[in-house]
Amino acid sequence: MDREAEFRRLYEAHRAAVHAYFTGRTGDPQSAADLMQDVFLRVWQHLEKLTGMPEDRQRAWIFTVARNLSVDAHRHQHTRADAEQAVAHEPALAPQSASTAASTAVIAAERVAVAGEAIRRLPESQRVTLTMAAVGGMTSAELAAALGVPAGTVRYRLSLARRAVAEALDRYDDPTEK
Amino acid sequence: MSLDDDIAAWAATVRLPDAEADAIFERIVATPAPALPVTPRLDPSWWRHFTADFTARMVASTRPVRQAA
């Protein structure tokens, strides 16, 4: 077996989902990249154990490692608290500025920022689920297997998360509402 | 823009760039692969020795006992 080729296959198959998972957990893509590296370092170290496993068991193994690392990261680095603190210190978006912005690109960028802020403010379970779906491109079934929850729960979380983001965008579009 | 477009646009801002992903890959594979654990193995000839010994004992134990004259 070409060890590096087998590792690359696993890495390419799962890296986006793992990075999305940590982005959802920490709220910070760079911390997520560091944690993703830790996960795949363990995959590299235990490659012989993973090789030959069915695809779904490989994914389950990788996400078990990811969840454990995430718990450690929360315990030791308080990444969630840091993320919330960062959000709290971000300058508030001024919806009025949209009305003065002539450029469609500026408005689009502001809408993305509003969506991002709404996502960062979601409860963690919803934020992780939405991030993995949007950034990792995972289906409900894949999310259910990775997160260890029923597919119905995944769909419910996605629905709540999307509604919260939609409401934030509605408020941005029409600041006089509510 | 629709909600899906907004979420997709946000996702693009946090997605790990391919170049960074490749750099992480290279860093990982540069670490030495762990040595395979050495598990104690039986001597390859153990079965031959075992069966030879077993056969000898079986033959010895089933040999008719000579009656004393």
Side-chain angles (χ1 to χ4, degrees):
Chain A
M1 175 191 69
D2 182 344
R3 200 169 193 279
E4 190 171 319
E6 176 64 13
F7 176 68
R8 180 174 283 283
R9 191 190 65 74
L10 281 168
Y11 184 76
E12 293 301 335
H14 301 291
R15 72 171 171 83
V18 172
H19 182 259
Y21 172 75
F22 285 125
T23 300
R25 291 296 301 260
T26 66
D28 175 20
Q30 193 51 55
S31 299
D34 293 342
L35 287 162
M36 185 196 86
Q37 178 173 311
D38 288 348
V39 169
F40 282 101
L41 191 57
R42 281 162 176 75
V43 171
W44 174 245
Q45 288 166 340
H46 295 90
L47 194 60
E48 283 70 23
K49 190 190 292 181
L50 282 155
T51 304
M53 273 187 192
E55 184 85 15
D56 57 339
R57 284 195 60 209
Q58 287 177 337
R59 185 188 293 274
W61 191 96
I62 289 168
F63 274 94
T64 299
V65 172
R67 280 197 294 271
N68 291 342
L69 278 177
S70 189
V71 168
D72 289 347
H74 273 245
R75 194 173 294 144
H76 298 303
Q77 297 169 5
H78 306 289
T79 47
R80 171 69 183 128
D82 291 347
E84 285 177 345
Q85 202 172 18
V87 168
H89 284 88
E90 278 179 5
L93 286 163
Q96 292 84 351
S97 65
S99 62
T100 59
S103 164
T104 306
V106 170
I107 294 172
E110 286 192 357
R111 285 180 62 85
V112 171
V114 169
E117 185 177 324
I119 291 167
R120 281 193 293 272
R121 290 183 185 281
L122 289 171
E124 184 175 291
S125 62
Q126 292 175 32
R127 187 176 64 247
V128 169
T129 309
L130 181 64
T131 306
M132 291 176 78
V135 182
M138 297 174 77
T139 64
S140 295
E142 289 170 339
L143 284 166
L147 296 172
V149 296
T153 302
V154 167
R155 287 191 290 272
Y156 181 63
R157 287 178 184 173
L158 281 175
S159 169
L160 290 178
R162 287 172 56 85
R163 189 187 307 164
V165 177
E167 286 172 0
L169 288 167
D170 285 346
R171 284 194 298 275
Y172 168 79
D173 290 336
D174 186 0
T176 59
E177 237 179 39
K178 288 190 180 175
Chain B
M1 284 175 84
S2 71
L3 176 62
D4 284 333
D5 290 339
D6 287 322
I7 291 175
W10 167 80
T13 66
V14 297
R15 190 169 288 128
L16 187 67
D18 286 346
E20 197 173 338
D22 286 345
I24 289 172
F25 178 89
E26 294 301 331
R27 279 201 293 276
I28 292 171
V29 297
T31 62
L36 290 173
V38 179
T39 50
R41 292 174 184 277
L42 290 169
D43 183 330
S45 62
W46 77 273
W47 177 250
R48 195 172 65 245
H49 292 145
F50 173 79
T51 53
D53 187 54
F54 180 82
T55 304
R57 285 172 188 273
M58 183 65 78
V59 169
S61 64
T62 56
R63 187 174 293 148
V65 178
R66 287 186 184 163
Q67 297 292 328

